[in-house]
Amino acid sequence: MSQKQNIQLPEGSLGKQTTTLNLGPTHPATHGVFQNILEMDGERIIDAVPTIGFIHRAFEKIAEHRPYYQITPLTDRLNYCSSPINNMGWHMTVEKLIHAELPKRVEYLRVIIMELSRIADHLVCNSVIGVDTGAFTGFIYVFELRELIYEIFEEVCGSRLTTNIGRIGGFERNFSELAFQKINHFLSVFPKAMKEFETLFNRNRIFMERTMGVGGIAAERALNYGFTGPNLRATGIDYDIRTAHPYSGYQDFDFSVPVGTTGDVYDRYLVRNAEIWESISIITQAVKKIKELDPSVFHADIPDFYLPEKADVYTKMEALIYHFKIVMGETAIPAGEVYHSVEGGNGELGFYLISDGGRSPYRLHFRRPCFIYYQAYPEIIKGSMLSDAVVTMSSLNLIAGEIDA
Amino acid sequence: MLTNEILQQRLTEKFGELVYNFEQPYGMLTFVTDRDNNLKVMNFLKESEDLGFTFLNDLTAVHYPDQLGKELAVVYMLQNIQAGLRIRFKVFTDITHPDVFTATGIFETANWLEREAYDFFGVNFVGHPNLIRIMNVEEMDYHPLRKEYPLEDQTRIDKDDDMFGR
């Protein structure tokens, strides 16, 4: 706006050259409650101020008043695109606190569930990038596959989105034969469909033009901003909790950590796709490994924390005592502070737990990956077009539930 | 290879009496420093070539109402990504003047995390570029994660469930 326009403004009017635009909180292109107050010069973004907290539910406060096993449903509602990872992360944090050793089979079963939810999470994110660049087909296409994953969750734990899957010490029940059939069915049909999905997008001219060089961030800045997960790996840093701090038996699996170079939307998309392929490989290995293990094991032998079989509660004295102690919160829990993190769908999901020996945590802090990296959003979109800001937002895999906790 | 022991040694060499209470709960080196030194310690950990804690993993606050004069703790967690090593340190401050220097000049990550700690606990991060509430409404006049506040608003009159002892 360098040219002086030939308009005589009345005395006292604002000589403002830019427009303030509210993007969100209920804009359909923001996929959740995100508000950004943008300062626009025409189509170009000069500044952005994100506002968050629209669905803040004070989980950290609620957690201080709940026994450990009742905190699992809270974690469901963080990143609800991959709830099982959050659930397992929480179980593992408590297991670390109480020094519980888990049988290999439980760890591998968890790996299967976690990798399935990673695939579901990445599918949503990647296909939504497609939607925001004008290609709806891929989105509809992969949701059929995501449905198969949700059917597996349903078979294992009874629910689909907010799963509350597993218990401290293992699973609440063993995997049924049908569950394994469904996993195998998924493994047989998914790769073909995934290839087709990639064919739709990877070398699609329009998609490439819309995403390459858009929303990029340098590795150094990403690290300074606390990026984790695929968004960090797209910049070229191979930081993956599964390899850096292995948990749940990930060290037994053979997989690689895909990285990108430029850290733009297209690289994030490619990294997620590559991760989906790695996840499939991990699940295949896990299914194979499980066949060699005792099929009756589905929880650790920690009667102080793991609820006994209901039939035993009615017939066995010991089971009744443990059941009572767990439900009434009479189990001794060690005091201490523990940090455990898992590789969530969008980054490092950490649980910082301080126990004073009481039945509920003294303090529980969730390290939510997208809360931390969302603060880089203004820097990323400054100088870009409004339509690029929308694509950038969906490529960052921002989940409002996780940001606001 | 960087280990907790080497780290502890390097820190005591550099800071002497200013870093204390070294522990290793669940394998993570944890120590306490005075609140005036938090940035010095952080800078040392980040900028020393052989340490390289270039990643601020987490920052949060904890309220200990029984520790008089040291009611609020600010907990920093840093990580050396190459070595896969994490370190945690705390600074304690009193609740009447909870002033702690901001880490935003060292890590951008700290910006929102400090706003969150301010919102929930009222830690005043001195020098923070934009220290306003992040989750709660601006009009709120207390810091809800402090221990004196019960989970539910006790002044609510629209709920009548005496039966369950609320």
Side-chain angles (χ1 to χ4, degrees):
Chain A
M1 293 297 240
S2 55
Q3 289 156 304
K4 188 87 176 158
Q5 283 172 2
N6 195 17
I7 301 169
Q8 285 296 314
L9 291 169
E11 193 74 15
S13 42
L14 292 168
K16 205 175 165 196
Q17 300 282 317
T18 55
T19 319
T20 308
L21 181 74
N22 268 304
L23 180 67
T26 51
H27 194 279
T30 56
H31 312 291
V33 265
F34 299 99
Q35 188 194 23
N36 274 282
I37 303 163
L38 304 175
E39 201 60 38
M40 309 280 298
D41 180 0
E43 269 281 289
R44 208 161 281 282
I45 296 164
I46 298 171
D47 198 9
V49 180
T51 321
I52 65 167
F54 290 99
I55 55 163
H56 174 54
R57 294 142 295 175
F59 281 166
E60 292 177 6
K61 186 75 178 177
I62 298 172
E64 286 175 12
H65 295 264
R66 282 195 179 187
Y68 286 80
Y69 57 89
Q70 285 185 0
I71 292 169
T72 324
L74 299 180
T75 64
D76 279 337
R77 284 141 181 91
L78 292 173
N79 180 351
Y80 38 72
C81 285
S82 51
S83 302
I85 303 185
N86 311 345
N87 300 157
M88 309 259 170
W90 168 245
H91 297 325
M92 281 184 255
T93 312
V94 181
E95 284 154 13
K96 197 167 171 181
L97 180 76
I98 62 175
H99 301 284
E101 281 284 322
L102 287 202
K104 276 283 169 210
R105 184 165 188 271
V106 177
E107 294 195 331
Y108 295 159
L109 288 176
R110 282 186 173 176
V111 165
I112 293 178
I113 295 295
M114 284 192 284
E115 291 308 314
L116 283 171
S117 29
R118 192 181 320 283
I119 293 176
D121 190 280
H122 286 357
L123 282 183
V124 175
C125 183
N126 270 355
S127 57
V128 163
I129 302 177
V131 172
D132 287 343
T133 52
F136 212 84
T137 324
F139 177 71
I140 301 292
Y141 198 63
V142 296
F143 262 54
E144 198 184 328
L145 280 308
R146 195 181 81 134
E147 180 65 20
L148 293 179
I149 298 176
Y150 278 16
E151 277 176 17
I152 296 168
F153 293 165
E154 199 176 358
E155 181 58 33
V156 171
C157 73
S159 50
R160 295 156 57 86
L161 188 76
T162 48
T163 48
N164 191 15
I165 201 168
R167 297 288 178 264
I168 294 161
F171 284 88
E172 70 273 30
R173 71 191 89 139
N174 205 345
F175 279 33
S176 65
E177 197 44 51
L178 187 61
F180 282 109
Q181 280 170 19
K182 285 188 169 176
I183 292 168
N184 286 328
H185 173 66
F186 174 76
L187 287 176
S188 64
V189 298
F190 183 68
K192 186 166 166 281
M194 186 63 204
K195 271 203 190 91
E196 282 180 60
F197 175 72
E198 287 193 317
T199 320
L200 267 175
F201 285 104
N202 278 15
R203 305 295 296 166
N204 181 315
R205 197 71 232 164
I206 302 169
F207 183 73
M208 287 165 82
E209 296 275 345
R210 283 298 307 277
T211 55
M212 286 172 104
V214 170
I217 186 164
E220 204 180 325
R221 290 302 288 162
L223 212 54
N224 204 272
Y225 266 118
F227 272 52
T228 41
N231 296 334
L232 179 68
R233 290 193 284 277
T235 68
I237 297 172
D238 63 338
Y239 176 57
D240 187 322
I241 320 290
R242 292 176 292 172
T243 54
H245 305 276
Y247 54 90
S248 195
Y250 269 110
Q251 63 275 17
D252 304 344
F253 294 93
D254 186 19
F255 65 100
S256 58
V257 178
V259 291
T261 47
T262 57
D264 60 5
V265 175
Y266 189 65
D267 263 20
R268 287 184 207 125
Y269 162 86
L270 288 183
V271 164
R272 282 201 193 93
N273 269 353
E275 271 182 27
I276 289 177
W277 289 110
E278 294 301 324
S279 293
I280 297 170
S281 149
I282 295 173
I283 298 169
T284 319
Q285 293 172 46
V287 170
K288 200 185 279 175
K289 278 179 199 285
I290 279 170
K291 282 193 185 130
E292 295 153 14
L293 298 166
D294 179 3
S296 64
V297 181
F298 62 96
H299 63 86
D301 184 23
I302 41 168
D304 280 323
F305 295 92
Y306 187 85
L307 270 183
E309 191 94 17
K310 195 70 183 173
D312 291 350
V313 177
Y314 292 125
T315 52
K316 290 177 187 156
M317 187 70 183
E318 258 193 359
L320 178 66
I321 292 171
Y322 281 126
H323 185 276
F324 180 80
K325 280 178 81 174
I326 293 168
V327 173
M328 299 309 288
E330 296 293 321
T331 330
I333 291 166
E337 56 184 318
V338 55
Y339 178 83
H340 184 77
S341 64
V342 290
E343 181 67 29
N346 45 6
E348 173 174 355
L349 177 72
F351 298 86
Y352 176 46
L353 166 67
I354 300 180
S355 158
D356 61 350
R359 64 193 296 243
S360 43
Y362 185 77
R363 170 95 172 97
L364 176 63
H365 178 70
F366 302 111
R367 187 217 186 270
R368 289 110 53 203
C370 58
F371 169 69
I372 290 173
Y373 64 62
Y374 185 40
Q375 46 185 321
Y377 186 64
E379 185 177 313
I380 297 177
I381 62 168
K382 253 175 221 175
S384 64
M385 305 293 242
L386 179 61
S387 52
D388 292 344
V390 172
V391 183
T392 307
M393 178 175 272
S394 52
S395 80
L396 283 170
N397 201 357
L398 298 166
I399 312 283
E402 188 173 83
I403 291 179
D404 293 349
Chain B
M1 189 64 200
L2 203 58
T3 62
N4 286 344
E5 285 68 32
I6 298 173
L7 253 173
Q8 183 173 346
Q9 200 191 335
R10 292 276 281 124
L11 281 161
T12 34
E13 266 171 28
K14 172 82 184 169
F15 293 103
E17 300 283 290
L18 298 174
V19 289
Y20 44 93
N21 284 4
F22 281 94
E23 286 176 292
Q24 292 190 21
Y26 299 88
M28 197 190 295
L29 187 68
T30 305
F31 64 93
V32 180
T33 184
D34 297 333
R35 65 173 164 177
D36 298 336
N37 299 318
N38 64 340
L39 298 190
K40 285 176 201 150
V41 171
M42 199 182 281
N43 249 328
F44 175 70
L45 287 168
K46 189 190 177 199
E47 304 297 340
S48 302
E49 292 255 314
D50 55 332
L51 301 181
F53 284 84
T54 51
F55 188 75
L56 179 67
N57 223 313
D58 199 6
L59 187 161
T60 189
V62 191
H63 185 205
Y64 297 101
D66 299 336
Q67 297 180 5
L68 288 181
K70 304 196 287 183
E71 285 96 344
L72 286 174
V74 179
V75 185
Y76 300 88
M77 195 170 87
L78 277 74
Q79 182 166 198
N80 178 334
I81 285 188
Q82 281 84 17
L85 196 66
R86 290 170 177 149
I87 189 169
R88 175 162 54 213
F89 72 93
K90 301 175 185 178
V91 297
F92 287 92
T93 167
D94 62 304
I95 206 155
T96 41
H97 301 285
D99 299 335
V100 175
F101 291 118
T102 176
T104 42
I106 305 172
F107 292 107
E108 298 278 1
T109 320
N111 193 325
W112 281 15
L113 286 168
E114 284 182 351
R115 276 177 67 187
E116 193 187 38
Y118 162 72
D119 190 354
F120 288 166
F121 292 93
V123 182
N124 180 30
F125 288 97
V126 179
H128 191 287
N130 185 26
L131 195 65
I132 52 171
R133 288 185 184 271
I134 191 160
M135 293 295 175
N136 295 306
V137 287
E138 275 299 305
E139 298 85 78
M140 206 169 189
D141 56 357
Y142 58 99
H143 301 285
L145 251 74
R146 287 187 180 174
K147 291 286 177 188
E148 66 256 37
Y149 298 107
L151 187 58
E152 271 186 66
D153 186 355
Q154 299 298 296
T155 57
R156 269 179 80 166
I157 45 167
D158 56 325
K159 278 181 107 175
D160 179 24
D161 44 11
D162 291 338
M163 191 86 85
F164 300 102
R166 285 196 185 150

